[in-house]
Amino acid sequence: MLKSWKFCFVLLLFVLLSGCSGVAKYDNDEPAAIVKGQEITVGELRFLFPDKTALSYLNGAIQVELVKQEVKKMGLDISERLDAESDGFEILPPESTDDVNARQNRKFAESQAKKFDMEPEEFQREYARRLNEQNAYVMTYLEEKLGPFHFDDNNENQITDYNEESNQLLEELAEKNKKEIEVLIK
């Protein structure tokens, strides 16, 4: 189970990567894009990513929104994935941690929490909830379209191949719906 969640998180981050641009000059309520009638706001991007790079994740956010709409349209249930353990990711690491990644996670949560007038622990819980929900939609969609992902330990080629197939599928979904996607900021 732990491997599948780590894979889901890595896959989602891989799916969301693209260029680089800041959002500090935009209001949180300002729409960054409209995807088949559903707005993606600057605030939604700012919540999940640092201001300097938030807009660079817009294409990925558009793909996630398309996936969410497709999963709902297909009548697929994501509740089992939502109920699954999140591997403790919703718990903010302690200030005194020696782990470099945990310190970075805490620093990120503290800086983001300030932007949204939240306590860092509250931010971390909401951040984990949002990522968990996105992962649930994306993985449900990918499994429906590509079948369940099974890999042998230490077989990086299988992961690479699945990631490539996944990205191609998501790009095709965006291409198929490009007339119903309006990017409002760059």
Side-chain angles (χ1 to χ4, degrees), residues 77-134:
D77 183 15
I78 67 162
S79 61
E80 186 176 306
R81 288 190 189 280
L82 286 175
D83 293 340
E85 263 184 67
S86 63
D87 194 26
F89 189 61
E90 72 282 352
I91 299 169
L92 188 65
E95 290 182 40
S96 61
T97 184
D98 290 330
D99 182 88
V100 174
N101 290 331
R103 275 198 313 268
Q104 287 177 332
N105 289 345
R106 181 169 188 91
K107 184 177 177 182
F108 176 73
E110 289 171 345
S111 69
Q112 295 296 91
K114 285 179 188 173
K115 290 191 295 190
F116 291 93
D117 195 28
M118 301 171 83
E119 291 298 319
E121 294 78 10
E122 177 187 12
F123 170 82
Q124 186 67 25
R125 282 189 303 276
E126 178 60 17
Y127 179 75
R129 186 198 66 74
R130 290 183 188 193
L131 286 181
N132 187 32
E133 179 181 59
Q134 288 182 355

Side-chain angles (χ1 to χ4, degrees), residues 47-61:
F47 192 88
L48 295 174
F49 310 105
D51 283 1
K52 289 182 192 176
T53 60
L55 283 182
S56 68
Y57 294 94
L58 183 55
N59 287 336

Side-chain angles (χ1 to χ4, degrees), residues 34-80:
I34 301 174
V35 180
K36 296 174 77 174
Q38 181 65 40
E39 282 186 358
I40 297 172
T41 66
V42 169
E44 290 172 280
L45 296 171
R46 287 184 80 216
F47 192 88
L48 295 174
F49 310 105
D51 283 1
K52 289 182 192 176
T53 60
L55 283 182
S56 68
Y57 294 94
L58 183 55
N59 287 336
I62 289 168
Q63 289 176 344
V64 170
E65 180 56 39
L66 286 169
V67 164
K68 184 177 178 181
Q69 292 177 17
E70 285 293 308
V71 166
K72 288 178 179 180
K73 188 168 100 178
M74 291 187 282
L76 301 174
D77 183 15
I78 67 162
S79 61
E80 186 176 306

Side-chain angles (χ1 to χ4, degrees), residues 33-36 62 66 173-174 177-183:
I34 301 174
V35 180
K36 296 174 77 174
I62 289 168
L66 286 169
L173 180 63
N177 290 284
K178 72 180 179 183
K179 291 181 180 176
E180 297 182 77
I181 299 168
E182 185 179 2
V183 175

